Amino acid sequence: MDILIIGAGAREYSIGLALNRDKSVDKLYFAPGNGATPNLGENLDISDFNELANFCEENSVDLTIVGPEAPLVAGIVDIFEARGLTIFGPSAKASQLEGSKIFMKNFLARHNIPTAKYIETSSLEEAYRFIDTMNSPIVVKADGLCGGKGVIIASTHDEAKKASGDMLSGNSFGDAGKAIIIEEFLDGYELSLFAVCDGKDFILLPAAQDHKRLLNGDKGPNTGGMGAYVPTPLANEEIYRKLKERVVIPTLDGMRAEGNPFKGVLFMGVMVVDGEPMILEYNVRFGDPECEELMPLLKTPASELFYNSAVGKLKDTKIEFYENRYAVGVVMASRDYPYKSSEPAEIIIDDIVHDELKENTHISFAGVSLGDDGKLYATGGRVLVCVGVGESIAEAQERAYMLVGQVHFAGKQCRTDIAYQAL
Ligand code: AMP
Ligand code: GLY
């Protein structure tokens, strides 16, 4: 089977690694890929969806897997499917679960799926009135895609009003903020849950925990994610059961009933409040860096998960994850992340001679470029993810950090406490 992966991050690299282990996979392509994806396949310099579809037809590509949300929201799946090509991911309409927070919140309300109380508005007056009725902290969210930055947790009423004004005027996020959600603050712990869906059936994957803040102890600014681990003991059987019954099934049934069957990955950002899972947000793709820890624990050949979701055959698919195995991923970021881009810095990775480390760790590359000199450079914000696998979270964490110690580039930064909530 030949497979095209759309995207350029460590998430897509980790999917490539999993497919590389799969004996039924022959050739991998990445569009656009990054400076390290040529380790796994061929990079394509094509971004137009119709041209990508042409490429898939001409080269008999059997399956396309879409990593990030932007092409999904922009309708890549609709274009491929109209041409009879097999593609993993939701249609543009189904992607509105991530593309519009208002669509998502109203959908949750229509189907009685637990979430924070909210209003949607485009009126500053209405926003002020609602804020005055609330207790702080108050959460203000831009409707549209903002690359993970469109959420403000305001600690005072004034701050919430200012955030609403900045968004509604278009100053903070342009058109993405012309409509907003104002909602109550949920106090609990966060989990990342993933259901791979085929429109009707689904497979719930082991729960992950991300670390969104830049600094140890969950301090500092929000980022795309500084590390994650899987599975987390913070999700017990009871939570999985509640999520299936109260969230995944009503979501799939509701989307189908409304004419937008959901296939691909439903990523549930969950806050557990007093044992009850509440939906913070939906994304319509794998989490990054959560995917980088899920993929190494996948026992079933990866192509089965992606292909059978794309063709609507999950019902007859048995997907297994290694039992009693854990993965911890530590993001190594460039010096000025997440504020601004940094000067390119050469990446040097020590030879890994220790067998234990060689067999139980690997790197998923993200913001890297191959220089004319053949060397690998850190050129993005999140540069790479060091992943350790072990029979306990502590063992996986220790291995991940041993690998971090072997990777060098000027200005590198990482958290040193990934998985602390589980230890
Ligand atoms: P989102 O993009 O909606 O996931 O929001 C980004 C982050 O903001 C989440 O991962 C949470 O940490 C936080 N957050 C969002 N909504 C709420 C809420 N209602 N209560 C508490 N924290 C929230
Ligand atoms: N790790 C969070 C995200 O991918 O949005």
Side-chain angles (χ1 to χ4, degrees):
M1 188 185 288
D2 291 355
I3 299 180
L4 166 63
I5 299 174
I6 307 285
R11 168 180 49 207
E12 289 74 30
Y13 196 95
S14 73
I15 293 171
L17 278 174
L19 291 169
N20 235 21
R21 287 199 302 273
D22 178 343
K23 292 191 182 60
S24 64
V25 175
D26 302 304
K27 185 140 199 211
L28 284 181
Y29 299 97
F30 292 86
N34 61 43
T37 43
N39 297 339
L40 306 172
E42 185 182 331
N43 283 359
L44 305 177
D45 185 17
I46 310 174
S47 54
D48 179 80
F49 299 160
N50 279 300
E51 281 178 38
L52 283 166
N54 292 345
F55 179 89
C56 290
E57 276 173 5
E58 284 156 18
N59 294 277
S60 309
V61 172
D62 301 283
L63 170 67
T64 298
I65 298 171
V66 188
E69 62 277 15
L72 294 168
V73 172
I76 189 170
V77 169
D78 307 71
I79 289 180
F80 271 53
E81 289 191 337
R83 294 177 58 170
L85 293 163
T86 304
I87 184 162
F88 174 85
S91 67
K93 277 196 172 156
S95 299
Q96 286 304 300
L97 284 180
E98 175 165 1
S100 164
K101 289 202 192 286
I102 292 177
F103 176 91
M104 182 265 297
K105 290 292 285 195
N106 291 343
F107 178 87
L108 295 179
R110 275 199 299 286
H111 297 282
N112 288 317
I113 297 169
T115 190
K117 288 200 197 69
Y118 73 103
I119 60 152
E120 59 159 291
T121 185
S122 301
S123 144
L124 192 57
E125 268 184 3
E126 193 180 16
Y128 278 19
R129 270 204 306 278
F130 189 65
I131 289 168
D132 282 332
T133 67
M134 298 175 77
N135 295 324
S136 57
I138 296 164
V139 184
V140 184
K141 302 184 173 184
D143 177 44
L145 290 182
C146 302
K149 298 187 180 69
V151 175
I152 303 290
I153 313 254
S155 46
T156 64
H157 289 76
D158 284 348
E159 207 185 309
K161 288 178 181 174
K162 182 171 185 311
S164 308
D166 287 346
M167 285 186 194
L168 289 172
S169 66
N171 283 346
S172 317
F173 304 112
D175 283 347
K178 291 273 171 77
I180 60 173
I181 295 279
I182 300 172
E183 70 179 27
E184 66 174 346
F185 178 80
L186 298 176
D187 197 5
Y189 60 88
E190 265 185 271
L191 298 175
S192 299
L193 263 298
F194 301 91
V196 175
C197 309
D198 68 359
K200 196 156 166 286
D201 294 296
F202 69 93
I203 290 161
L204 193 61
L205 308 189
Q209 196 175 37
D210 188 13
H211 299 64
K212 290 213 164 108
R213 304 292 201 94
L214 182 71
L215 305 173
N216 282 358
D218 298 320
K219 306 250 160 47
N222 252 322
T223 69
M226 294 300 291
Y229 66 98
V230 181
T232 169
L234 298 173
N236 54 28
E237 282 311 314
E238 190 65 6
I239 289 188
Y240 286 110
R241 184 184 62 75
K242 286 178 178 169
L243 275 166
K244 279 187 197 172
E245 287 173 5
R246 298 179 190 172
V247 179
V248 185
I249 293 171
T251 298
L252 290 187
D253 289 351
M255 290 298 279
R256 209 167 58 248
E258 293 180 10
N260 302 316
F262 188 92
K263 64 190 191 63
V265 194
L266 181 68
F267 170 175
M268 293 159 270
V270 174
M271 187 75 87
V272 182
V273 184
D274 299 328
E276 301 301 324
M278 314 272 289
I279 293 298
L280 287 179
E281 64 163 347
Y282 279 149
N283 296 305
V284 297
R285 35 104 192 150
F286 272 114
D288 188 353
E290 292 94 326
C291 187
E292 292 92 302
E293 294 76 49
L294 278 164
M295 287 298 125
L297 300 184
L298 184 58
K299 192 170 169 190
T300 307
S303 64
E304 286 181 30
L305 180 67
F306 292 104
Y307 188 83
N308 291 357
S309 157
V311 299
K313 280 200 184 152
L314 281 183
K315 195 168 195 249
D316 310 318
T317 308
K318 186 152 192 274
I319 298 293
E320 286 184 290
F321 282 79
Y322 288 107
E323 280 184 33
N324 305 318
R325 238 188 246 189
Y326 297 83
V328 173
V330 179
V331 171
M332 298 185 74
S334 58
R335 187 182 50 218
D336 298 317
Y337 181 74
Y339 303 106
K340 56 184 171 88
S341 53
S342 312
E343 290 279 289
E346 185 186 344
I347 300 173
I348 294 169
I349 303 169
D350 297 336
D351 271 345
I352 294 168
V353 286
H354 200 291
D355 280 341
E356 180 195 315
L357 209 54
K358 224 190 253 176
E359 285 158 21
N360 295 293
T361 64
H362 63 268
I363 295 175
S364 273
F365 292 92
V368 299
S369 309
L370 201 55
D372 293 336
D373 53 10
K375 294 175 179 166
L376 200 61
Y377 288 84
T379 47
R382 290 190 292 174
V383 175
L384 54 84
V385 186
C386 290
V387 180
V389 174
E391 283 169 19
S392 66
I393 294 174
E395 188 177 59
Q397 186 202 46
E398 188 187 356
R399 288 172 174 164
Y401 279 109
M402 280 163 74
L403 181 60
V404 166
Q406 313 282 74
V407 178
H408 315 279
F409 54 92
K412 68 183 177 184
Q413 56 163 331
C414 69
R415 278 179 63 158
T416 57
D417 68 347
I418 299 304
Y420 79 97
Q421 288 196 58
L423 294 171

